[in-house]
Amino acid sequence: MDEIIKTDNDIIMQDTDDVEVVYGKVLNVRPNIPHIDYKGIVNKVCQYVDVANVLSKVKKGVEYVVEIPLEFQGGFESGEYWMMENSKTGKMWPSLMEIGSDGRNKIVSPLSVRKKSFVDGNPTKDITNNYHNLYMQQRMNELVGLVESTLQTVERIEHGQMDDRIALLEAGKQGFILALSQKDDDSRSTAMLNAINNITIAQNQIFETFKRRVCEFDALPKSAIVRFLREVSSPGSYLDKKDNEYDEINEYYGLYLQATRMLAGAYVMIGDIENAKLVFDMSIDKTKHIDYSKLKTIEFTHKDSDFDKIYENASNFLIEEKRICLEDAKEYDCLSISISGDKLLEVFENEEKIRK
């Protein structure tokens, strides 16, 4: 899957000559990133910055970064332009920064913005919101594909019998897809709530199946001799059957993990981050309270093997998915545009001609 956008979380910018800048989540816009209208974003940003004051400072052959934090307040209120400044630190935004030979960003000049551009809101925030929504939809579509793949595997385990838990998750998945296709926010929220209901029931039923299969797993004998006797005395391979049983339990866990991700993702899509977090917290707590002691005996025949130890990692996988989900859900704090001096001069000069 092509990457729509490049995001950096918990970015700490290196010290510059004038200021140390700390951002949380940054939308990095660079040339040649698939599906990003790089030229359109650069042109739009340059429409509301004061280009006349920086043209003389831009050099050909030098790489620059234009950084525009999304939190600001008006500074100098007089005239056509104002200086934006961070409401917490009082530092001036945005900035034109030069990438030095050592890779450090050095401020070339603060950039003042056209007041008229911000009368009806922050145009930079509009850019980041549009790409954030696009990114989230792609992530959710990717998740639907993972759920579909896991569903097919579990259906094979069930020998083609579509039981209630699988049917409900299938219905939730379809509702999820329909909700993503809604153009109106209210319609999307309503459709998501309907999907959430089905996914919630399915997720809980899948968990109960996973838990039951774990608890009913017949422990392997610790003695190698006893295992050998069972192997030679049972029809078919006793150890192969136990491996297959373990793999099936692993598949059920995978389905539970994907259902949990989808449920949390649905809450994210309607802006309910607290419930998205709660979905993971409850799931993590549930998996921690399962008795995996019998399932762990599979290690008697796989001591040197590299395999998924669900009995050790069931909660850890959910904790990691929670981290990813909540990071994805965060709004951007800053728009960062990488651009060459040659391109910057071209755009600024064109903008100056248009304004004249």
Side-chain angles (χ1 to χ4, degrees), residues 46 49 51 54-55 58 344-352:
C46 290
V49 299
V51 298
V54 297
L55 274 175
V58 177
L344 197 56
L345 284 170
E346 176 188 333
V347 174
F348 278 1
E349 288 169 355
N350 287 340
E351 185 61 29
E352 278 292 272

Side-chain angles (χ1 to χ4, degrees), residues 45-82:
V45 168
C46 290
Q47 286 174 8
Y48 59 84
V49 299
D50 183 6
V51 298
N53 288 336
V54 297
L55 274 175
S56 61
K57 300 176 183 179
V58 177
K59 305 171 187 176
K60 291 186 177 181
V62 177
E63 294 297 315
Y64 292 93
V65 174
V66 177
E67 289 186 338
I68 309 176
L70 304 186
E71 181 188 0
F72 66 90
Q73 62 185 17
F76 304 105
E77 297 292 343
S78 61
E80 182 184 2
Y81 292 94
W82 72 19

Side-chain angles (χ1 to χ4, degrees), residues 207-340:
F207 173 79
E208 291 303 322
T209 301
F210 167 67
K211 179 181 177 180
R212 175 178 58 79
R213 294 290 299 269
V214 169
C215 294
E216 290 178 354
F217 186 82
D218 188 17
L220 276 73
K222 187 174 183 179
S223 169
I225 295 176
V226 176
R227 293 197 302 270
F228 174 74
L229 292 175
R230 290 195 180 183
E231 178 75 10
V232 297
S233 63
S234 63
S237 171
Y238 166 74
L239 296 180
D240 283 348
K241 288 179 181 178
K242 299 308 291 183
D243 283 349
N244 290 338
E245 186 180 355
Y246 182 87
D247 288 342
E248 289 177 4
I249 292 171
N250 196 18
E251 293 294 348
Y252 271 108
Y253 173 78
L255 189 58
Y256 178 67
L257 179 67
Q258 306 303 354
T260 303
R261 290 178 63 193
M262 180 176 284
L263 182 57
Y267 277 115
V268 168
M269 293 301 290
I270 61 174
D272 192 346
I273 308 304
E274 284 303 311
N275 265 329
K277 179 177 178 293
L278 187 59
V279 165
F280 279 109
D281 288 342
M282 290 190 298
S283 298
I284 291 166
D285 185 65
K286 283 183 180 181
T287 54
K288 283 182 177 178
H289 287 86
I290 295 177
D291 181 2
Y292 297 99
S293 57
K294 291 192 289 186
L295 191 64
K296 193 176 186 297
T297 61
I298 196 73
E299 285 190 2
F300 292 151
T301 57
H302 293 277
K303 290 181 179 178
D304 300 322
S305 301
D306 182 18
F307 68 103
D308 290 332
K309 298 180 179 180
I310 296 302
Y311 43 85
E312 290 183 358
N313 296 315
S315 298
N316 294 333
F317 289 148
L318 286 162
I319 290 170
E320 176 61 15
E321 290 298 336
K322 172 187 172 183
R323 183 193 66 79
I324 294 171
C325 177
L326 296 181
E327 286 294 341
D328 282 344
K330 288 180 182 177
E331 294 184 353
Y332 293 101
D333 299 307
C334 177
L335 175 66
S336 177
I337 304 173
S338 300
I339 188 169
S340 67

Side-chain angles (χ1 to χ4, degrees), residues 113 115 125 159 196 259 285 296 303 314 320 343:
V113 300
K115 284 197 295 185
K125 198 170 186 66
H159 307 294
I196 283 171
D285 185 65
K296 193 176 186 297
K303 290 181 179 178
E320 176 61 15
K343 181 64 178 177

Side-chain angles (χ1 to χ4, degrees), residues 64-277:
Y64 292 93
V65 174
V66 177
E67 289 186 338
I68 309 176
L70 304 186
E71 181 188 0
F72 66 90
Q73 62 185 17
F76 304 105
E77 297 292 343
S78 61
E80 182 184 2
Y81 292 94
W82 72 19
M83 293 294 296
M84 293 198 312
E85 60 179 310
N86 185 288
S87 60
K88 294 180 180 178
T89 66
K91 298 189 183 302
M92 297 301 177
W93 310 113
S95 298
L96 176 67
M97 307 176 79
E98 177 183 331
I99 304 177
S101 57
D102 58 358
R104 293 161 63 90
N105 292 337
K106 299 177 175 61
I107 290 181
V108 175
S109 173
L111 298 172
S112 53
V113 300
R114 299 172 68 90
K115 284 197 295 185
K116 186 177 180 182
S117 300
F118 287 83
V119 170
D120 298 321
N122 186 340
T124 309
K125 198 170 186 66
D126 291 340
I127 293 172
T128 58
N129 283 345
N130 287 339
Y131 280 96
H132 183 256
N133 291 337
L134 186 61
Y135 172 75
M136 287 303 298
Q137 287 199 47
Q138 187 179 40
R139 289 279 291 174
M140 294 303 104
N141 283 325
E142 180 185 39
L143 179 55
V144 168
L146 291 172
V147 171
E148 176 63 28
S149 175
T150 312
L151 270 172
Q152 291 173 0
T153 302
V154 173
E155 286 173 26
R156 286 195 295 271
I157 294 173
E158 295 290 334
H159 307 294
Q161 299 301 313
M162 180 73 78
D163 61 14
D164 291 343
R165 60 190 178 279
I166 296 178
L168 276 168
L169 186 57
E170 182 71 31
K173 184 198 73 176
Q174 294 297 329
F176 196 86
I177 295 171
L178 291 173
L180 288 176
S181 67
Q182 298 295 319
K183 305 301 182 184
D184 177 72
D185 289 341
D186 290 338
S187 298
R188 175 181 294 180
S189 295
T190 300
M192 276 294 179
L193 289 173
N194 291 332
I196 283 171
N197 182 59
N198 285 328
I199 298 170
T200 299
I201 298 172
Q203 185 226 21
N204 282 304
Q205 291 184 352
I206 291 165
F207 173 79
E208 291 303 322
T209 301
F210 167 67
K211 179 181 177 180
R212 175 178 58 79
R213 294 290 299 269
V214 169
C215 294
E216 290 178 354
F217 186 82
D218 188 17
L220 276 73
K222 187 174 183 179
S223 169
I225 295 176
V226 176
R227 293 197 302 270
F228 174 74
L229 292 175
R230 290 195 180 183
E231 178 75 10
V232 297
S233 63
S234 63
S237 171
Y238 166 74
L239 296 180
D240 283 348
K241 288 179 181 178
K242 299 308 291 183
D243 283 349
N244 290 338
E245 186 180 355
Y246 182 87
D247 288 342
E248 289 177 4
I249 292 171
N250 196 18
E251 293 294 348
Y252 271 108
Y253 173 78
L255 189 58
Y256 178 67
L257 179 67
Q258 306 303 354
T260 303
R261 290 178 63 193
M262 180 176 284
L263 182 57
Y267 277 115
V268 168
M269 293 301 290
I270 61 174
D272 192 346
I273 308 304
E274 284 303 311
N275 265 329
K277 179 177 178 293

